[in-house]
Amino acid sequence: MPGGASGALAGFSDLTANTESPLFRLAESHMSSAETVTTNCVITAEFLKELAAVVGPARLLSSKDELLVYECDGYVVEKSVPDVVVFPENAAEVVAIVTACGKHRIPFVPRGAGTSLAGGCLPVGGGVMIAMTKMRQIVDINLRDRYAVVEPGVVNVNLTRALAGTGFHYAPDPSSQGACTLGGNVATNSGGPHTLKYGVTVNHVLGVEFVSPQGELIQIGGPCGRGNGFDLPGLFVGSEGTFGVVTKIWVRITRNPAAYRTMLAIFDSVDDTTQAISNIIGAGIVPAALEMMDKGIVAALEQAFHFGFPLDAEAVLLIEVDGLEVAVDAEAETITRLCKDSGAREVRLSQTEKERALLWKCRKQAFGAIGRLSPSYCTQDGVVPRTKVPEILRFIAEVSKRHDIRIVNVFHAGDGNLHPILLFDERNAEQVKRVMLASDEILGKCIDLGGSVTGEHGIGVEKISFMNRLFTDEDLTVMEDVRKAFNPDGRCSPGKLLPTAGACGMEHIEKQHPGRKAAM
Amino acid sequence: MTNSSANDSGQQLLMPASTAEVVELLRAAVGSGSRLSTNRVTAAGTNSAPDSVRRVDLQKMNEVVDYPARDMTVTVQAGMAVSELTKILAEENQQLPIDEFDPLLSVGALVAGDIAGPRQYGYGTLRDYVIGIEAVDGQGRIFHAGGRVVKNVAGYDLCRLMVGSRGSLGILTQLTFKLKPLPEQTTLRSFRFDDAADFESALTKLNVSAANPVLLDFNFASSPPAQQPTDDSDCVQKDIPYALHIGVEGAPEACSWQIEQLRNDCAGGEEVTSDGSLDLSVDHHCRNAGYGWQDNEVRIRTFPSKLVAVATELGARGYSTQGHAGNGILFVQDRTGDTDVRTVCRDIVSRHGGTVSEWTVDHPAKNPDPLSAKLRSTFDPRSIFTA
């Protein structure tokens, strides 16, 4: 089906393997299964009856048609249909579900809105999917003590909406904030444009209540932050669902800045644009947001939103400073000067709140506009040191040319967090092959430049093959030991994050999906 | 070969010069069943480790590994003194905004102790700045987490696990921090309140102030009550002054504007002025507010909205308190001599919410929660690292 969006690719089945690249090896594993993975989990009538007793028949899906909806998340390359989907409404039900899974040795995976771009909530090997979308209450908001208590299924933007007018907001704002859930944000340690100044999810999580893979309800941290012990909330955030099922979150809320200045700097060359990024950060200025969009993405956005973007520009920077009314103008002026010194032909200052809101709408819906450019696309999430942004963008342009694959860029330039978007038609197997190679080269280059393969999307199942390039065997062994401390038999979100040996009772995955063995 | 010597108290000091030598030490300790103490905040002669414990001192591992200033990150060996790091960063007009109270403290000890000073109100704590680690665990395994880029979610976040782990999970050998620019100017103002209600009112206003303080500290000087109160209603002593110290920073005009806002917010108090004999600067305050890092202090973390009530109750029992009002953090010193201050604190906090720290600066809790205990046995199965 064309038109799919993914953290990687679709349509591997016609490819001929000719490379040792990690993504290609991953592709081979998909080719070997060729179709959607099914499961060998033994789902007995007794087990289903136990689950139904917990959630009732209306909140349990087990028919093939209904389950198909849950075969993948935003990462459409790999599909694996769960055997059962349940929708708990409270922590006690999650405890009962996980306990039943333990009794029958069934793997399970929590799922929020399914917006992961790395297969973070893929039910590898089947089993039970615990969909958290019915646990969506904002339990408490305490402005004086600056925290909120939420259930994991609360959609990110709904918390900020609930805070509207109070003078506070929830700072992490992933581009998918209109759909993604706070539980999913905790699992992947989500970022967003404003994390340049305000930090990512972990900087705003005070505590987590979760159900361990053994079925215990555990609270780590709380409204006053971490208590006596290690920084377990800090460790838990970003564990990609492998430590347990989140049932409650205490998040810090942040005072709204008194003033904003939002600018659009327009450049005639990508080199000048990246130099401006480097000069702004190098000058010790940390804007609230510093986002880059190149010509290709600007064209798509202009078609979609009619903002008035200059279609002849090679790239634009969306820059926002915030803080005291008395201070923001001076900061905006400095940034304007640095941009012009770097070759910007124009720096526009947003004149109204409406204009600012539209500019941000364009940025946050950039991925949605890609459909105007190509039937399929693949987004990567590499990170490089900020001063290496010019180098990596030149490399991406060179890769694009060499593989004859169009690549557009919209990304968190201030963090060095790239989102090169590779455009293709997944019905063309030869194109798919070139996209895979190009993606692999880009992520490899990020590592070579001292960066990482993921800044905010997570490893999931997509980038497991890169973990051996980022970390030593000993690093991965230690991480595996940490996972075992929480999740000893690996039944909770199997096949994610680590390329090390995995779950007891997961042998069926190897039989049906040999390539996946390496991901367990 | 690792150098060794004895410190003033006769305790054996091991001074490895590389991560490989740290691994050697660990393997030797595993082989001999001996125990090691490392990344400590307190001075060698003042910690409570027994003589049989060998202290690992990383002072020879004090190099800058990488400082790409324009990326605003720095990687250093863990034995570097914090004061040295501060000096190096200042040359590039940058800072690691963790208030240093001991110029000899090593970077590794800073992280292991999760040291945080007054400016944590505006800047956060070390968990917000450590982006990469190298460490050696109790099995002699070198492990890394994070990296050298400011945004990175690959792998488990062992960086945060190590921050504040009190050297009980491994020996930190290398750290990467993200950095902040130095502010153009900093300004401190202090206000005195004679009345708890006025003090509470000022804190409530400051929570939504138009100013943007980076520091919001208090101290509350108690005089011992004539007699112990008989019930909670006796706990409020209205004549005891509260002092509030507020720091702002930015361009000079931004600081001046903020000071005016603070004066409005603190209208119920009296601004403390100096004839020059008092150093009312952020820098002086941060360097001298080293409370909270003595083993005889008790640390309370409560809700900011409950801070005045907790401080007042403690004052009524004869305890002076000081701390970070904006964060709800109080430090209590026992001035009553024979009273179990920790018990009193637990009693008060149980009514207002929060926690009384069972950790000291160098020692993790004796009875950790099950998950923390499991992680300790994962990293240090033979209990090489002393607690």
Side-chain angles (χ1 to χ4, degrees):
Chain A
M1 183 178 70
S6 169
L9 308 169
F12 291 123
S13 52
D14 294 331
L15 299 179
T16 305
N18 64 354
T19 175
E20 288 302 308
S21 75
L23 275 182
F24 206 94
R25 287 200 298 274
L26 182 62
E28 282 188 282
S29 76
H30 293 279
M31 290 161 63
S32 65
S33 59
E35 294 176 357
T36 297
V37 175
T38 54
T39 176
N40 276 359
C41 283
V42 181
I43 304 293
T44 61
E46 182 196 356
F47 177 60
L48 280 180
K49 202 172 164 186
E50 283 180 35
L51 291 181
V54 175
V55 296
R59 289 190 280 125
L60 183 150
L61 306 178
S62 59
S63 79
K64 199 174 174 182
D65 292 349
E66 291 172 320
L67 294 173
L68 206 57
V69 175
Y70 300 92
E71 67 177 359
C72 68
D73 49 31
Y75 171 69
V76 300
V77 171
E78 185 161 356
K79 297 179 171 68
S80 176
V81 181
D83 293 283
V84 190
V85 181
V86 287
F87 297 85
E89 288 184 339
N90 55 55
E93 289 184 356
V94 178
V95 168
I97 292 162
V98 171
T99 302
C101 289
K103 181 178 157 193
H104 293 269
R105 294 184 56 74
I106 303 293
F108 59 93
V109 60
R111 186 185 201 265
T115 55
S116 167
L117 292 169
C121 40
L122 187 78
V124 176
V128 174
M129 175 174 281
I130 306 175
M132 305 304 290
T133 46
K134 289 193 182 296
M135 291 179 66
R136 53 175 181 257
Q137 296 300 311
I138 296 174
V139 179
D140 187 21
I141 289 176
N142 185 323
L143 301 178
R144 175 64 185 89
D145 294 321
R146 298 190 176 191
Y147 72 87
V149 189
V150 298
E151 291 186 329
V154 171
V155 171
N156 177 298
V157 80
N158 286 348
L159 178 55
T160 284
R161 281 181 185 148
L163 288 164
T166 65
F168 290 86
H169 69 289
Y170 178 62
D173 61 339
S175 296
S176 59
Q177 71 179 140
C180 65
T181 63
L182 291 167
N185 294 172
V186 166
T188 53
N189 194 11
S190 301
H194 287 87
T195 56
L196 175 58
K197 180 171 179 178
Y198 292 100
V200 291
T201 298
V202 72
N203 305 109
H204 300 272
V205 170
L206 298 164
V208 173
E209 178 192 85
F210 69 100
V211 177
S212 75
Q214 296 78 36
E216 307 152 302
L217 190 65
I218 296 172
Q219 182 179 330
I220 50 178
C224 291
R226 143 196 184 190
N228 289 301
F230 300 126
D231 185 358
L232 297 179
L235 176 64
F236 194 98
V237 174
S239 57
E240 302 196 20
T242 61
F243 288 171
V245 184
V246 175
T247 50
K248 196 187 284 181
I249 313 159
W250 288 262
V251 296
R252 177 178 290 125
I253 54 176
T254 302
R255 194 88 168 92
N256 292 349
Y260 304 94
R261 295 292 181 272
T262 308
M263 291 157 279
L264 189 71
I266 299 160
F267 294 84
D268 290 326
S269 91
V270 171
D271 269 356
D272 288 349
T273 318
T274 54
Q275 196 53 53
I277 296 162
S278 185
N279 289 345
I280 292 167
I281 297 296
I285 298 171
V286 183
L290 177 51
E291 303 282 301
M292 179 176 157
M293 297 182 279
D294 71 8
K295 188 174 190 170
I297 202 84
V298 163
L301 286 171
E302 188 58 27
Q303 281 182 45
F305 298 105
H306 311 292
F307 178 81
F309 287 111
L311 295 175
D312 60 336
E314 286 300 316
V316 299
L317 287 180
L318 170 55
I319 311 165
E320 185 160 279
V321 293
D322 67 18
L324 303 171
E325 183 67 50
V326 70
V328 287
D329 281 330
E331 217 165 81
E333 280 166 21
T334 305
I335 287 172
T336 299
R337 179 176 51 76
L338 288 166
C339 286
K340 288 191 171 170
D341 288 350
S342 306
R345 77 170 189 223
E346 184 187 354
V347 181
R348 295 180 191 170
L349 182 67
S350 179
Q351 298 298 320
T352 63
E353 178 55 32
K354 191 178 169 189
E355 194 177 56
R356 172 181 177 261
L358 180 58
L359 203 46
W360 276 113
K361 185 178 177 186
C362 290
R363 165 61 188 92
K364 292 198 174 184
Q365 296 193 4
F367 286 73
I370 298 294
R372 294 169 184 272
L373 301 178
S374 169
S376 312
Y377 68 88
C378 158
T379 306
Q380 292 303 339
D381 182 37
V383 192
V384 294
R386 301 186 259 215
T387 47
K388 304 290 186 189
V389 169
E391 188 173 344
I392 190 70
L393 281 198
R394 281 195 292 272
F395 182 80
I396 290 170
E398 188 264 314
V399 165
S400 168
K401 197 171 171 185
R402 184 154 38 82
H403 290 289
D404 191 23
I405 290 292
R406 188 175 176 204
I407 303 177
V408 296
N409 292 284
V410 49
F411 66 100
H412 312 305
D415 291 320
N417 186 188
L418 312 162
H419 291 321
I421 303 170
L422 295 82
L423 308 176
F424 66 105
D425 184 339
E426 70 188 74
R427 293 166 297 193
N428 182 333
E430 203 277 332
Q431 253 191 40
V432 172
K433 177 180 164 185
R434 282 186 277 121
V435 168
M436 271 195 311
L437 291 171
S439 293
D440 180 66
E441 286 178 24
I442 292 168
L443 292 181
K445 184 71 172 177
C446 289
I447 296 174
D448 294 343
L449 290 174
S452 171
V453 295
T454 178
E456 57 185 8
H457 296 173
I459 294 295
V461 298
E462 180 204 14
K463 292 184 277 286
I464 282 181
S465 308
F466 284 93
M467 288 295 276
N468 286 314
R469 289 171 66 176
L470 278 170
F471 295 104
T472 67
D473 289 348
E474 217 156 42
D475 297 338
L476 295 172
T477 304
V478 170
M479 287 188 194
E480 180 62 22
D481 286 349
V482 170
R483 173 157 71 179
K484 284 177 183 165
F486 284 83
N487 181 14
D489 64 4
R491 281 185 306 101
C492 181
S493 297
K496 309 282 166 54
L497 201 145
L498 293 175
T500 42
C504 301
M506 299 293 112
E507 296 80 4
H508 57 280
I509 298 172
E510 184 187 355
K511 284 177 195 161
Q512 293 207 339
H513 199 166
R516 177 55 55 204
K517 171 70 175 172
M520 293 189 60
Chain B
M1 176 69 81
T2 301
N3 284 354
S4 70
S5 64
N7 64 10
D8 293 345
S9 61
Q11 195 181 32
Q12 191 176 4
L13 272 182
L14 300 168
M15 291 187 284
S18 66
T19 302
E21 288 189 3
V22 174
V23 172
E24 270 179 40
L25 289 180
L26 259 304
R27 288 188 178 151
V30 169
S32 66
S34 57
R35 303 175 79 194
L36 302 176
S37 123
T38 181
N39 297 138
R40 311 305 285 258
V41 171
T42 48
T46 61
N47 74 33
S48 55
D51 290 347
S52 59
V53 175
R54 294 190 292 174
R55 184 182 165 89
V56 180
D57 188 322
L58 299 184
Q59 60 180 275
K60 290 189 172 177
M61 295 176 65
N62 58 6
E63 298 288 320
V64 173
V65 178
D66 186 24
Y67 181 21
R70 288 173 67 84
D71 288 329
M72 298 182 75
T73 63
V74 67
T75 301
V76 297
Q77 290 184 307
M80 170 175 279
V82 180
S83 55
E84 177 65 13
L85 177 61
T86 302
K87 206 167 75 182
I88 292 166
L89 300 179
E91 287 170 11
E92 296 290 343
N93 214 27
Q94 294 179 353
Q95 61 168 335
L96 175 64
I98 304 298
D99 302 311
E100 155 207 348
F101 66 91
D102 176 356
L104 297 178
L105 195 66
S106 73
V107 168
L110 184 86
V111 172
D114 192 14
I115 303 298
R119 290 182 302 158
Q120 66 181 284
Y121 183 61
Y123 280 105
T125 58
L126 277 160
R127 79 194 295 269
D128 302 309
Y129 293 94
V130 178
I131 57 172
I133 56 148
E134 177 190 83
V136 183
D137 76 358
Q139 300 178 60
R141 300 184 296 186
I142 302 171
F143 65 96
H144 305 82
R148 295 187 188 179
V149 283
V150 296
K151 204 171 173 190
N152 185 1
V153 296
Y156 291 129
D157 194 345
L158 306 185
C159 300
R160 287 184 173 80
L161 181 63
M162 295 301 285
V163 173
S165 59
R166 269 66 170 176
S168 64
L169 299 177
I171 299 179
L172 288 161
T173 52
Q174 187 172 297
L175 292 143
T176 302
F177 300 100
K178 72 175 178 181
L179 304 170
K180 290 283 188 184
L182 276 171
E184 195 174 337
Q185 181 181 307
T186 59
T187 307
L188 184 86
R189 285 292 181 273
S190 295
F191 298 86
R192 174 197 165 102
F193 298 84
D194 292 326
D195 184 86
D198 287 340
F199 181 52
E200 171 64 42
S201 170
L203 287 175
T204 304
K205 287 177 186 167
L206 286 163
N207 187 48
V208 290
S209 175
N212 190 18
V214 293
L215 179 167
L216 190 49
D217 275 9
F218 85 102
N219 56 286
F220 174 41
S222 168
S223 53
Q227 57 186 44
Q228 289 294 319
T230 52
D231 61 46
D232 287 345
S233 63
D234 296 328
C235 291
V236 179
Q237 296 190 357
K238 295 188 180 205
D239 55 345
I240 294 177
Y242 301 81
L244 192 53
H245 314 284
I246 313 168
V248 295
E249 61 183 35
E253 60 273 23
C255 287
S256 302
W257 185 86
Q258 290 188 85
I259 294 299
E260 286 310 307
Q261 303 304 311
L262 298 179
R263 286 180 178 136
N264 291 335
D265 296 332
C266 298
E270 177 191 348
E271 186 169 350
V272 177
T273 55
S274 171
D275 57 3
S277 59
L278 286 175
D279 185 349
L280 292 176
S281 71
V282 168
D283 189 47
H284 181 267
H285 179 81
C286 291
R287 272 193 282 108
N288 290 280
Y291 37 77
W293 310 113
Q294 306 300 319
D295 274 357
N296 64 348
E297 280 182 325
V298 179
R299 181 181 189 267
I300 294 173
R301 180 144 203 162
T302 187
F303 297 102
S305 62
K306 303 292 184 187
L307 181 117
V308 176
V310 171
T312 304
E313 281 197 37
L314 283 162
R317 287 169 165 80
Y319 298 107
S320 295
T321 48
Q322 51 191 342
H324 313 305
N327 301 86
I329 295 172
L330 305 91
F331 298 102
V332 188
Q333 276 195 323
D334 183 4
R335 290 183 180 167
T336 60
D338 56 358
T339 311
D340 182 356
V341 59
R342 204 171 281 276
T343 304
V344 172
C345 291
R346 283 195 201 105
D347 171 52
I348 293 172
V349 168
S350 70
R351 279 180 277 113
H352 293 289
T355 54
V356 177
S357 179
E358 303 297 334
W359 297 46
T360 66
V361 65
D362 276 336
H363 304 283
K366 285 183 179 142
N367 299 304
D369 61 88
L371 265 177
S372 293
K374 212 181 281 186
L375 287 165
R376 275 197 72 176
S377 67
T378 295
F379 282 83
D380 185 22
R382 294 178 181 83
S383 299
I384 299 287
F385 303 122
T386 61

